[in-house]
Amino acid sequence: MNRKKISVLGITAFIVLLIDQYTKWLIRTTPSLQNYTIIDGWLEFYYTQNPGMALGIEILSTPVISSIAIAATLGIIIYIMLGIKESTTGYLVCMGLIIGGALGNISDRIFIGLIEGYGGVLEGHVVDFIYFSLRINDWTVFPYIFNVADVAISIAIISLLVFNKWIFIDHEQNEAEASKEPDNAPDISVDIESEGGKEGSSSAI
């Protein structure tokens, strides 16, 4: 059972990581996509790199942020593995989305600086390219640029918050437990033949 649960977690994370890294590679190596309108006035690709944290926050240096991200991801993985026996499939899928997204952005921080020649390990900037360009008057509805990894993490967090009652309940386990008879239930069966034999003997006497 644990192997199956680990597979759910690992496969989900791997798929997210694969899609994230492929789309980032595609954007970096295809100039025509680096400023490309998908839905005019709504959605576009706009290639940029983020040296800071989520939402472009730059409080700490890139290496420090990278180290914190790695430590946090390892902590999440350890936490999940410690409780994996009680984890539901829905929960593991959500956590796989989070881990895959985290690994996608960590990969950028480790390798992009080396690939593009502007920094070493942990000095890379996260590749972002998805931009909701919708504006109401002069106000941009969502001014931040993000990537597939961010989408995966956001979907997981929203799902955990909205569908927590379903995600955290193991319905299969509950059904299995409900179908089991208690081991200490008293044996109330009656040995009809034995009772009949006793009654016959009494009548003969």
Side-chain angles (χ1 to χ4, degrees):
M1 180 62 71
N2 283 356
R3 183 176 297 178
K4 179 181 178 181
K5 291 184 175 182
I6 292 172
S7 297
V8 171
L9 179 69
I11 291 172
T12 303
F14 178 74
I15 290 173
V16 172
L17 177 61
L18 188 66
I19 296 174
D20 176 70
Q21 289 299 297
Y22 174 73
T23 53
K24 288 173 177 176
W25 170 82
L26 192 63
I27 289 293
R28 287 193 303 104
T29 58
T30 311
S32 61
L33 292 177
Q34 293 178 1
N35 193 352
Y36 181 80
T37 299
I38 301 173
I39 303 175
D40 189 28
W42 284 79
L43 180 64
E44 63 184 64
F45 288 158
Y46 188 86
Y47 172 56
T48 186
Q49 292 193 15
N50 177 16
M53 296 183 289
L55 307 180
I57 299 172
E58 297 183 36
I59 298 176
L60 303 171
S61 66
T62 299
V64 172
I65 294 172
S66 301
S67 300
I68 293 173
I70 292 171
T73 303
L74 288 174
I76 292 172
I77 293 173
I78 292 171
Y79 174 79
I80 295 169
M81 296 306 296
L82 289 175
I84 199 163
K85 286 184 179 180
E86 294 77 27
S87 299
T88 64
T89 300
Y91 172 76
L92 292 173
V93 168
C94 288
M95 298 313 293
L97 291 173
I98 291 174
I99 292 173
L103 291 176
N105 287 337
I106 287 172
S107 297
D108 290 358
R109 297 186 183 281
I110 293 175
F111 299 114
I112 289 295
L114 296 171
I115 292 172
E116 299 195 352
Y118 61 76
V121 175
L122 302 182
E123 294 181 340
H125 302 166
V126 175
V127 174
D128 290 326
F129 61 92
I130 304 173
Y131 176 49
F132 282 116
S133 54
L134 177 63
R135 298 177 65 88
I136 298 176
N137 296 325
D138 292 330
W139 178 65
T140 303
V141 175
F142 191 79
Y144 307 105
I145 304 173
F146 52 98
N147 55 45
V148 172
D150 299 328
V151 172
I153 293 171
S154 299
I155 289 174
I157 292 174
I158 292 171
S159 298
L160 289 170
L161 292 174
V162 176
F163 304 108
N164 63 86
K165 290 184 179 179
W166 178 81
I167 289 174
F168 288 102
I169 296 176
D170 193 340
H171 297 282
E172 293 181 0
Q173 183 177 349
N174 288 347
E175 290 176 2
E177 290 177 354
S179 65
K180 290 181 180 179
E181 292 184 1
D183 295 334
N184 58 350
D187 186 2
I188 58 174
S189 60
V190 177
D191 190 339
I192 298 176
E193 292 183 0
S194 176
E195 291 294 329
K198 288 181 180 179
E199 291 178 3
S201 298
S202 299
S203 300
I205 294 173

